[in-house]
Amino acid sequence: MGTSRDGDESRQRVKFTDERVCKSHLLNCCPHDILSGTRMDLGECSKIHDLALRADYEIASKERDLFFELDAVDHLESFIVDCDRRTELAKKRLAETQEEISAEVAAKAEKVHELNEEIGKLLAKAEQLGAEGNVDEAQTVLQEVEKVRTKKKDAEEEYRNSMPASSFQQQKLRVCEVCSAYLGLHDNDRRLADHFGGKLHLGFIQIREKLEQLKKTVQDKQERRNQERLRRREEREREERMKKRTKSRSRERKRSRSRDRDRERRRRRSRSASREKRRSRSRSKERERRRRHRSRSRSRSRHSREHSHKSSRDRDRERDSKRSSSERRSDGLNGRTESRRHDDREAGEI
């Protein structure tokens, strides 16, 4: 499968990611394919349709998200908007051409239209079940159709009684909200079954359902992408916080080491200062001891000198005192001698 099959090089030139490739076709929802062969056949799509490219996309989409759903949503939305616009225009034309009726009668006619639509859907479902071989389920659906037919008969009777006979005989049309086709109020069951089971109506249902499915898929993928972005951002923020914490811790460790080194330096300085102080005190004590020793030596020498000087003075003083005492004795002796001589002279004179 795919463009690489059978070695076809001409098909390999265009990749499924090319802008010329229809992304709605890759997702199997292109209106040009779905409505092909109906009354609203859109013709050939302006972009490339290739089943091999679709196979390549299905293989690649299993490995990664390509978000081609966004392109398909834009394509289908533009188509549905255009269809709804045509539906509103058809409603306006019907309102201008058909006879105006009261709100009460319009409500009864709307009820008949709703029952017709329900009958047509049930008949289309019963035919599909019968074609698939589910006969019992198809019979159950047909029983429901009979019940709805009874309700429709009662609604038509109420609608007939609320309008003049001439007006009731006119064909009242209604625009299908799904495919913008015209539906008659008095259409028989076969006509309703052909419409609601037809390719046009079912194709529009498929397109509208596919659009809602793609919108939900896009929303889910965007939510997952946002969650993934949020998770990655949280992881980046957590990593940044961890880096900041690591840096702050490393800075704190560096600061702690620096503080420890400063503390160790201060301790060493304190130790060296204390050792220096002890050395200084010891030197001071030594100097003081030497000074005291010198002072004691000086005092001793001075004392010894003083003592020697004193002793010499004492000796001089003793010599002087001895000399003076000897002189006094000699003077005494001399005086006594003189006094004796004087006495003798006086005695002799006498």
Side-chain angles (χ1 to χ4, degrees):
M1 295 180 67
T3 56
S4 60
R5 184 188 59 184
D6 300 333
D8 190 351
E9 297 181 357
S10 62
R11 302 179 68 183
Q12 295 180 15
R13 295 176 183 175
V14 179
K15 303 296 182 181
F16 68 90
T17 56
D18 197 304
E19 294 181 355
R20 296 173 294 174
V21 177
C22 179
K23 304 303 185 292
S24 300
H25 170 72
L26 297 180
L27 293 167
N28 195 22
C29 61
C30 182
H32 294 268
D33 294 337
I34 296 174
L35 301 179
S36 176
T38 65
R39 182 174 56 85
M40 293 184 62
D41 193 338
L42 301 174
E44 187 177 355
C45 183
S46 60
K47 295 189 175 182
I48 299 174
H49 284 207
D50 192 341
L51 295 177
L53 295 175
R54 182 188 294 176
D56 291 342
Y57 165 73
E58 290 175 354
I59 295 173
S61 62
K62 295 178 181 179
E63 299 177 357
R64 66 183 189 280
D65 287 334
L66 299 170
F67 289 94
F68 286 172
E69 292 84 359
L70 293 172
D71 298 328
V73 165
D74 293 338
H75 184 198
L76 296 184
E77 273 188 341
S78 63
F79 175 76
I80 293 299
V81 167
D82 185 62
C83 179
D84 292 340
R85 182 179 56 81
R86 288 197 303 268
T87 301
E88 293 299 325
L89 290 175
K91 286 181 179 180
K92 288 182 180 180
R93 284 196 296 268
L94 282 179
E96 294 173 356
T97 57
Q98 295 192 80
E99 182 181 351
E100 187 176 354
I101 57 178
S102 64
E104 182 181 358
V105 176
K108 293 179 180 180
E110 183 67 23
K111 186 176 181 180
V112 175
H113 278 297
E114 291 176 356
L115 292 172
N116 280 336
E117 183 176 351
E118 187 176 356
I119 290 172
K121 290 179 179 179
L122 290 174
L123 288 175
K125 183 178 180 180
E127 290 181 359
Q128 182 179 0
L129 291 173
E132 294 174 355
N134 299 323
V135 180
D136 295 336
E137 295 182 5
Q139 291 294 328
T140 303
V141 173
L142 290 177
Q143 292 176 4
E144 294 180 2
V145 170
E146 292 298 326
K147 294 179 181 179
V148 178
R149 282 174 178 170
T150 304
K151 294 180 181 179
K152 176 189 173 183
K153 186 176 180 181
D154 296 338
E156 286 179 343
E157 187 68 24
E158 291 181 2
Y159 175 65
R160 182 184 299 108
N161 294 333
S162 62
M163 291 186 65
S166 59
S167 300
F168 179 76
Q169 295 300 326
Q170 295 178 0
Q171 179 75 354
K172 295 296 180 182
L173 298 178
R174 182 192 179 197
V175 180
C176 180
E177 298 291 342
V178 176
C179 62
S180 69
Y182 289 104
L183 297 174
L185 184 65
H186 306 299
D187 287 341
N188 57 24
D189 294 344
R190 183 70 265 166
R191 168 76 176 83
L192 295 174
D194 290 341
H195 171 76
F196 291 105
K199 187 176 180 180
L200 177 64
H201 187 83
L202 295 178
F204 270 95
I205 290 177
Q206 181 182 351
I207 292 172
R208 292 179 184 273
E209 290 179 351
K210 189 67 175 180
L211 177 59
E212 295 300 322
Q213 179 184 353
L214 289 175
K215 285 182 178 179
K216 188 176 183 303
T217 302
V218 169
Q219 184 178 0
D220 294 340
K221 287 187 176 182
Q222 287 178 347
E223 290 180 357
R224 287 197 298 269
R225 174 178 282 188
N226 293 334
Q227 291 177 357
E228 183 67 20
R229 289 176 179 174
L230 181 61
R231 185 182 62 81
R232 291 178 180 175
R233 186 174 63 185
E234 290 177 353
E235 288 180 356
R236 287 195 300 269
E237 292 177 354
R238 186 163 52 250
E239 289 176 359
E240 290 177 358
R241 287 196 298 268
M242 291 298 293
K243 289 180 181 178
K244 289 181 180 178
R245 290 178 183 174
T246 305
K247 290 181 180 178
S248 63
R249 289 175 181 173
S250 62
R251 285 196 298 267
E252 186 64 28
R253 285 195 293 268
K254 290 180 181 178
R255 291 174 183 173
S256 177
R257 291 171 184 170
S258 177
R259 287 195 295 267
D260 293 339
R261 287 194 295 268
D262 294 339
R263 196 178 298 112
E264 185 65 24
R265 290 194 197 99
R266 289 194 296 269
R267 191 180 295 113
R268 291 176 181 176
R269 291 173 184 173
S270 176
R271 290 175 180 173
S272 62
S274 61
R275 285 196 298 269
E276 187 64 28
K277 287 180 181 179
R278 287 195 297 270
R279 291 173 182 172
S280 178
R281 284 196 294 268
S282 63
R283 285 194 295 267
S284 300
K285 289 180 180 179
E286 184 65 24
R287 285 195 297 269
E288 183 66 22
R289 200 163 39 246
R290 291 176 181 176
R291 188 180 61 80
R292 290 179 181 176
H293 180 69
R294 286 195 298 269
S295 177
R296 284 197 296 270
S297 300
R298 289 172 184 169
S299 62
R300 287 174 182 171
S301 61
R302 188 168 53 251
H303 182 67
S304 61
R305 285 196 300 271
E306 289 178 355
H307 182 67
S308 60
H309 183 64
K310 184 177 179 181
S311 57
S312 62
R313 282 185 304 188
D314 291 339
R315 286 193 296 271
D316 292 338
R317 210 176 278 117
E318 288 177 359
R319 283 195 301 269
D320 292 339
S321 62
K322 288 179 179 179
R323 192 180 298 116
S324 60
S325 61
S326 62
E327 287 178 355
R328 279 195 302 272
R329 281 194 302 271
S330 62
D331 289 340
L333 291 174
N334 292 328
R336 283 192 298 272
T337 306
E338 286 295 330
S339 63
R340 283 192 197 101
R341 286 175 183 174
H342 183 65
D343 291 337
D344 290 335
R345 274 195 306 268
E346 285 180 356
E349 288 178 359
I350 296 169

